[in-house]
């Protein structure tokens, strides 16, 4: 379970998140995270939050957002709103680490999804785009479908694919959440025995 102050990172995408406010602290109203994206870092895939708004405030560095097909550069001081239902993705567009604050409203299963996807990437269970195998992804996506969807194919087709893929993934032992095999130890501290 994510708590305020927890930090997770995705070594494939070059993203690191520090949770500032969790869904538990806001009664499910929001999740607030501080994000750090390395040069050439990116969010895994273009995606849609069907019922969540996402607000970004860039503190340092340079980001490029693609929202509903339109590219939008952002630098320190810029605020970007991605409304519910908008297809979006972002990447570090500069030579230094980008730093921004992101607020997702309402929280839904955002924390669960991020923790699962980042943990899979950290344990080497994703491809170079930070996506797990299709059957594992189907199990995760079916559980978090109200939180995130793909922009294509149409929603009805995604539901159909998940109705077939998720049960097959469960038969193979995949779960909607993933407990990491690795332990993220803060610098200067010893790993647990």
């Amino acid at each position: 379970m994510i708590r305020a102050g927890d930090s997770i990172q995705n070594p494939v995408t070059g993203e690191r998140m520090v949770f500032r406010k969790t869904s538990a602290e806001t009664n499910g109203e929001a999740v607030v995270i501080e994000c750090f994206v390395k040069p050439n870092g990116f969010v895994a895939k273009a995606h849609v939050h069907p019922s969540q708004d996402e607000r970004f405030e860039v503190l340092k560095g340079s980001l490029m957002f693609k929202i509903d097909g339109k590219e939008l550069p952002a630098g320190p001081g810029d605020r970007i709103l991605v409304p519910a239902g908008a297809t979006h993705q972002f990447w570090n567009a500069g030579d230094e680490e980008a730093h921004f604050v992101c607020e997702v409203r309402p929280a839904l299963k955002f924390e669960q999804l991020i923790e699962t996807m980042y943990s899979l990437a950290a344990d080497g269970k994703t491809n170079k785009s930070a996506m797990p195998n299709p059957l594992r992804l189907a199990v995760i996506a079916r559980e978090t479908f109200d939180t995130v969807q793909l922009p294509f194919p149409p929603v009805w087709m995604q539901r159909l694919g998940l109705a077939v893929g998720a049960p097959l993934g469960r038969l193979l032992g995949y779960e909607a959440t993933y407990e990491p095999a690795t332990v993220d130890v803060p610098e200067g501290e010893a790993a647990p025995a």
Side-chain angles (χ1 to χ4, degrees):
M1 174 190 238
I2 296 284
R3 293 177 184 84
D6 284 355
S7 175
I8 59 175
Q9 57 188 342
N10 186 324
V12 177
T13 63
E15 299 169 283
R16 181 171 61 91
M17 292 184 177
V18 180
F19 289 82
R20 294 300 175 212
K21 289 185 184 177
T22 66
S23 60
E25 293 175 300
T26 64
N27 292 321
E29 289 183 25
V31 176
V32 180
I33 51 178
E34 237 180 299
C35 300
F36 302 85
V37 184
K38 293 180 179 180
N40 300 313
F42 57 95
V43 70
K45 289 280 185 192
H47 58 280
V48 174
H49 300 293
S51 55
Q52 294 168 296
D53 290 334
E54 213 171 353
R55 290 174 175 80
F56 298 85
E57 180 180 0
V58 181
L59 303 175
K60 178 183 169 194
S62 177
L63 291 168
M64 181 66 74
F65 288 85
K66 190 171 188 178
I67 303 171
D68 286 336
K70 181 180 175 188
E71 288 191 358
L72 181 65
D78 288 337
R79 294 175 185 220
I80 306 292
L81 169 65
V82 178
T87 298
H88 62 286
Q89 66 186 119
F90 64 83
W91 59 92
N92 185 328
D95 295 329
E96 66 177 332
E97 182 176 71
H99 178 198
F100 60 93
V101 174
C102 177
E103 180 178 303
V104 179
R105 288 185 171 270
L108 301 178
K109 293 184 178 178
F110 182 82
E111 293 162 354
Q112 173 187 324
L113 176 65
I114 293 297
E115 185 174 31
T116 294
M117 297 301 282
Y118 278 38
S119 295
L120 286 167
D123 284 351
K125 298 182 183 294
T126 63
N127 61 22
K128 64 182 180 179
S129 298
M131 301 304 287
N133 77 57
L135 293 178
R136 174 174 262 153
L137 182 60
V139 173
I140 296 164
R142 191 170 193 189
E143 176 74 16
T144 59
F145 202 67
D146 63 337
T147 301
V148 69
Q149 299 168 0
L150 296 174
F152 183 82
V155 170
W156 69 267
M157 198 177 290
Q158 291 180 56
R159 286 187 194 279
L160 181 63
L162 296 177
V164 173
L168 289 173
R170 288 225 182 254
L171 281 174
L172 293 174
Y174 299 133
E175 299 289 332
T177 58
Y178 177 75
E179 294 295 324
T182 58
V183 177
D184 201 13
V185 179
E187 203 169 301
E189 292 185 22

